[in-house]
Amino acid sequence: MIACKEFNEKSFGNDKSLAFNPYEKPVRSTRKGAIFQVHPYPTKINYRSIAPFILAHAQPGDLVYDSFAGSCSTGMAAASCSEKNPDILNYLGHEAREAAIWGPRRAICIDIGVLPTFIGRTLLNSIDTRVLKKIFYKWMENIEEKWGWIYKTTDLEGKKGIIRYTYFSDIIKCSNCHFEVPFIEMFVDFNKGEFKEKTKCPNCYYIIDSKNVEPIIENAYDKLLKKDKERVKRIPYRIYGTTNNKKWSRNAITKDYEDIKKIEKIPLPDSVKPVPMMGEKKGKKWGEMYRSGYHRDITHVHHFYTPRNLTAISVLFDETKNIPEKFRSAIILAISSYNIANSTLMTRFVFKKGNNRPVNTSAQPGVLYIPNCPVEKNVFLGVRRKFKAILKALEKTSKWIINVEVKTQPAQHSGLKSGSVDYIFTDPPFGENIQYSELNFLSEAWLGFFTDNTYETIISNYQGKDVKNYEKLLTEAFRENFRVLKPGGFMTVVFHNTRKEIWNALQRSILHSGFEIIDTSILDKTQTSFKQTTTKGAVKKDPIILALKPKHKNNFTKDHKLLNAREYIIRRLKELENRITPERSFDYLFGRFVGYRLSMGQTIPINAKEFKRILSQIADEKGNNWYLKKEIKKALS
């Protein structure tokens, strides 16, 4: 790798010096903070982790650009640097704190997604939060006065109470005797606090596998489609509520079934229309994330909801027309944020290790999974809580000097003037890891606008985009970045993948665009994404790539001997000597190896799985740290 002190040499064609070196050590990134928690948009980076790069690369008044902006963390980072920010100082080392020059930077953030740019645009719009607070609570009171009854019920003693949440269950049948029973009774053990994989049919004792259950399908009238339609038979099983602030729970009774039937018959607001899933056509799957098992009856957006929560969400979005336009987006953001994570059939409960009490959680991020036991939460209570988080975030951003433009358009067509950008920080899609336009579809249906996925830079069989298409789109985006960046300017790219094919596609797209890769670092996500946590073989550290737009042809050659994976591991572990450091973990070692190959202008020769196999041949794992085997150390001495 090339040391940061060499960045300023004329051989790189760069006349600007960095204020400090943000690439020397791994950059910490958490999933915490008021702004990060605003909306469950996937793969976003905490703006606090981006700010050090902006402080290092851009001076006050400079233009920062992000062509894959997502929910605009780069724009928030640029705005947060407008004055000495305690939140950012914690992400800076001593040298950086002394060298950082605070002051407002300009930023342009573009993304193809309607939802993420809506989030960014709303948060980066200065607003009087005191007025917003008054408007919201008055508005909610009016809605609950008229519609609050849909969450009213009675407790164990027959007293009036409010539903906090309800556990629903699919009705399944035994594949042997066709006996019908709620899934929750068969496969959820509330005493032990676990989900069972297999169990016996209570009627014929045939062993049933939870992964292969057969749901009961019923016909019911769909009031939006105005016709009978097949759907999975699903019943309320257990009710959790409050009476005079006292919590209680009970099994569902006949009155609960009657209440749901009553709600099903109530007309929805005229503004609510049936929206086909991704242009769903009869007999065809509607997207890359479609699963015939749990999506078999899902053809339209409203099929992701229970009748009660469909009513609540419909009323909330419809009533936003009564909010003054200046404050409307902030309140829509609160509804949207709660909606996608907590108000659909994708909401779940789980058991934590060592505890038999179920814990309610949100929809699984990165997928559209519907469990056999969904949780129906009280949307009105939830949106009230979410608004507090939105308010907290807006109170923070409203203190910044914001000069950020957010555009909804593809990275391949920025519309910016050539050589107008001082610095680029970007986080492009990671191949096939996230199907953004599909994940955003439910939220965008309520916003009334949808992402045009023509230029969506992903791998998707459904869209007919393979690795070659992905590389082509990525190359076009980076060529546009190269065009708009000033000569001698830098581009920082954060990327994550385990497949060598994707890494090599990224490398080629950067180099073929005219950039030179000159250094790398690591983004250390102290809390990983859902897919990084659950995917076998996933790497939990994201390499950071520094690329340069040279002022003239660079004849600089890297005179280091190129190391293969085995040689690199041995050298790296020798460098670490006997130190106890996170750098000894597999995630760090693989991330560093990827960065090493990229900075040497070489392709990535192996996947993460093969890298780990080689690592285990020459090193022993102790905890999460790897140390050279004794015989290897002996041979080297």
Side-chain angles (χ1 to χ4, degrees):
M1 297 183 191
I2 303 164
C4 187
K5 65 183 180 181
E6 296 183 274
F7 288 177
N8 304 329
E9 294 188 4
K10 289 185 179 180
S11 59
F12 287 99
N14 180 40
D15 295 334
K16 277 190 174 183
S17 61
L18 297 184
F20 56 89
N21 181 4
Y23 300 91
E24 282 183 321
K25 297 179 181 179
V27 180
R28 180 168 53 95
S29 180
T30 68
R31 302 173 69 83
K32 296 180 180 179
I35 292 173
F36 190 92
Q37 298 292 340
V38 159
H39 202 288
Y41 191 74
T43 70
K44 61 180 178 283
I45 300 173
N46 198 315
Y47 77 95
R48 297 171 181 174
S49 303
I50 302 173
F53 294 96
I54 292 175
L55 286 168
H57 283 284
Q59 299 295 314
D62 280 357
L63 178 59
V64 178
Y65 175 56
D66 188 348
S67 54
F68 293 103
S71 52
C72 304
S73 294
T74 299
M76 291 168 203
S80 72
C81 294
S82 58
E83 58 184 22
K84 205 167 189 177
N85 190 327
D87 292 339
I88 308 304
L89 286 172
N90 292 330
Y91 285 73
L92 302 176
H94 176 73
E95 178 190 346
R97 291 187 184 192
E98 295 294 323
I101 301 175
W102 301 88
R105 277 80 170 166
R106 298 175 296 136
I108 294 177
C109 295
I110 72 171
D111 195 275
I112 199 170
V114 169
L115 174 64
T117 49
F118 167 75
I119 297 169
R121 197 176 289 115
T122 301
L123 290 176
L124 289 165
N125 179 31
S126 295
I127 195 171
D128 190 329
T129 54
R130 291 173 298 179
V131 176
L132 172 65
K133 187 176 179 180
K134 291 179 181 178
I135 290 172
F136 172 79
Y137 285 115
K138 178 63 176 176
W139 175 78
M140 275 301 300
E141 286 172 8
N142 291 337
I143 290 174
E144 289 174 322
E145 185 177 343
K146 183 178 179 181
W147 291 98
W149 65 268
I150 66 175
Y151 291 107
K152 297 271 180 75
T153 189
T154 55
D155 62 14
L156 291 162
E157 299 175 0
K159 296 178 182 178
K160 291 182 179 180
I162 297 173
I163 297 172
R164 292 188 295 132
Y165 54 90
T166 301
Y167 285 178
F168 274 72
S169 176
D170 292 355
I171 302 298
I172 62 172
K173 65 180 178 181
C174 172
S175 55
N176 184 54
C177 70
H178 304 295
F179 182 74
E180 297 183 13
V181 63
F183 178 94
I184 200 168
E185 286 185 2
M186 294 281 284
F187 294 101
V188 183
D189 190 327
F190 287 99
N191 292 322
K192 293 183 179 180
E194 65 179 18
F195 287 89
K196 295 184 286 187
E197 291 186 6
K198 295 181 180 181
T199 190
K200 292 181 180 179
C201 169
N203 185 56
C204 71
Y205 305 110
Y206 182 78
I207 295 178
I208 306 173
D209 191 321
S210 62
K211 295 178 181 178
N212 300 315
V213 294
E214 296 183 59
I216 298 297
I217 304 299
E218 63 178 4
N219 271 308
Y221 184 73
D222 189 316
K223 60 187 176 185
L224 278 180
L225 297 180
K226 294 181 171 55
K227 65 178 183 179
D228 286 340
K229 186 183 181 302
E230 288 187 346
R231 69 181 184 186
V232 172
K233 187 175 182 181
R234 192 176 284 119
I235 63 167
Y237 186 80
R238 190 159 183 83
I239 316 295
Y240 295 80
T242 57
T243 299
N244 297 324
N245 294 322
K246 184 179 179 180
K247 295 179 181 178
W248 50 263
S249 66
R250 60 168 175 76
N251 286 339
I253 57 177
T254 302
K255 181 67 164 55
D256 297 312
Y257 292 86
E258 293 173 349
D259 287 344
I260 291 174
K261 291 294 184 183
K262 180 181 178 182
I263 293 169
E264 278 191 296
K265 294 178 181 178
I266 297 172
L268 295 174
D270 292 338
S271 61
V272 180
K273 308 294 182 184
V275 178
M277 287 297 295
M278 271 76 85
E280 187 269 348
K281 296 180 180 179
K282 189 175 181 180
K284 294 184 179 181
K285 70 173 188 175
W286 38 250
E288 192 73 28
M289 302 174 70
Y290 175 87
R291 298 294 179 270
S292 58
Y294 49 81
H295 289 146
R296 61 186 298 169
D297 61 332
I298 305 290
T299 59
H300 291 68
V301 168
H302 64 280
H303 296 147
F304 275 92
Y305 297 84
T306 63
R308 180 162 28 223
N309 278 6
L310 176 61
T311 300
I313 285 293
S314 298
V315 166
L316 287 171
F317 274 107
D318 183 68
E319 288 293 329
T320 57
K321 65 179 181 290
N322 297 319
I323 297 169
E325 187 175 352
K326 185 177 180 180
F327 301 96
R328 191 176 301 153
S329 291
I331 294 177
I332 289 176
L333 180 59
I335 305 168
S336 176
S337 178
Y338 187 79
N339 171 36
I340 193 61
N342 295 286
S343 68
T344 70
L345 291 170
M346 297 184 289
T347 308
R348 311 157 292 142
F349 68 86
V350 298
F351 292 105
K352 294 191 175 180
K353 192 173 181 179
N355 193 337
N356 66 349
R357 294 184 63 183
V359 177
N360 295 336
T361 185
S362 61
Q364 286 185 4
V367 293
L368 295 176
Y369 171 69
I370 297 177
N372 297 108
C373 305
V375 180
E376 179 196 68
K377 296 182 180 179
N378 184 318
V379 171
F380 295 154
L381 294 180
V383 170
R384 278 181 172 272
R385 288 193 301 271
K386 177 52 68 171
F387 176 74
K388 292 179 181 178
I390 301 293
L391 192 67
K392 191 175 180 180
L394 287 170
E395 287 171 345
K396 186 177 288 289
T397 59
S398 292
K399 294 177 182 177
W400 298 339
I401 299 173
I402 300 174
N403 189 353
V404 181
E405 186 177 358
V406 181
K407 299 181 178 182
T408 309
Q409 60 193 66
Q412 293 78 3
H413 303 283
S414 71
L416 303 182
K417 292 181 180 179
S418 297
S420 60
V421 171
D422 294 284
Y423 171 60
I424 297 172
F425 185 100
T426 195
D427 178 23
F430 307 153
E432 74 274 39
N433 284 17
I434 299 291
Q435 303 292 314
Y436 290 93
S437 61
E438 291 190 22
L439 281 175
N440 296 344
F441 192 87
L442 292 180
S443 295
E444 292 177 354
W446 294 101
L447 296 178
F449 299 94
F450 297 95
T451 296
D452 179 350
N453 62 17
T454 304
Y455 288 97
E456 187 175 16
T457 309
I458 61 171
I459 296 172
S460 167
N461 290 330
Y462 185 76
Q463 291 187 30
K465 295 174 181 175
D466 58 13
V467 176
K468 288 184 178 180
N469 300 119
Y470 172 71
E471 182 178 336
K472 180 178 181 292
L473 288 165
L474 204 55
T475 302
E476 290 173 358
F478 283 135
R479 280 177 179 162
E480 182 70 350
N481 283 4
F482 188 87
R483 182 186 68 80
V484 303
L485 186 63
K486 292 178 179 177
F490 290 106
M491 175 177 72
T492 303
V493 181
V494 177
F495 199 76
H496 168 85
N497 211 281
T498 59
R499 294 174 55 194
K500 63 182 181 181
E501 297 86 358
I502 307 303
W503 275 113
N504 292 330
L506 173 77
Q507 182 197 50
R508 286 192 297 268
S509 66
I510 293 175
L511 297 179
H512 292 172
S513 302
F515 285 101
E516 294 179 10
I517 297 174
I518 62 172
D519 207 358
T520 60
S521 187
I522 295 286
L523 182 70
D524 184 354
K525 293 180 177 177
T526 55
Q527 288 176 291
T528 57
S529 69
F530 172 77
K531 286 205 168 186
Q532 284 177 313
T533 300
T534 59
T535 302
K536 188 176 181 181
V539 179
K540 302 174 180 64
K541 311 299 177 190
D542 297 355
I544 301 172
I545 302 162
L546 179 63
L548 170 74
K549 177 180 179 176
K551 281 190 172 181
H552 49 76
K553 185 173 177 60
N554 183 11
N555 296 317
F556 179 81
T557 58
K558 302 173 178 66
D559 56 1
H560 304 281
K561 175 192 173 186
L562 183 65
L563 306 177
N564 60 31
R566 178 186 174 86
E567 293 168 336
Y568 178 84
I569 292 168
I570 291 173
R571 189 187 77 172
R572 184 61 182 153
L573 291 179
K574 278 185 65 180
E575 288 174 348
L576 296 174
E577 297 178 336
N578 294 319
R579 285 180 289 156
I580 298 175
T581 168
E583 293 272 0
R584 288 186 174 276
S585 71
F586 162 71
D587 300 311
Y588 267 110
L589 290 169
F590 181 71
R592 290 294 193 191
F593 175 68
V594 168
Y596 162 75
R597 297 285 300 196
L598 293 174
S599 65
M600 295 292 287
Q602 299 296 316
T603 59
I604 312 304
I606 55 176
N607 293 325
K609 185 178 180 180
E610 177 65 11
F611 182 88
K612 193 164 190 177
R613 186 187 67 80
I614 296 172
L615 176 63
S616 63
Q617 290 175 348
I618 58 179
D620 295 318
E621 186 177 16
K622 298 177 183 178
N624 195 34
N625 297 316
W626 291 85
Y627 296 84
L628 286 173
K629 292 180 182 291
K630 290 181 180 179
E631 58 268 28
I632 300 293
K633 291 178 70 175
K634 186 176 180 180
L636 293 171
S637 60

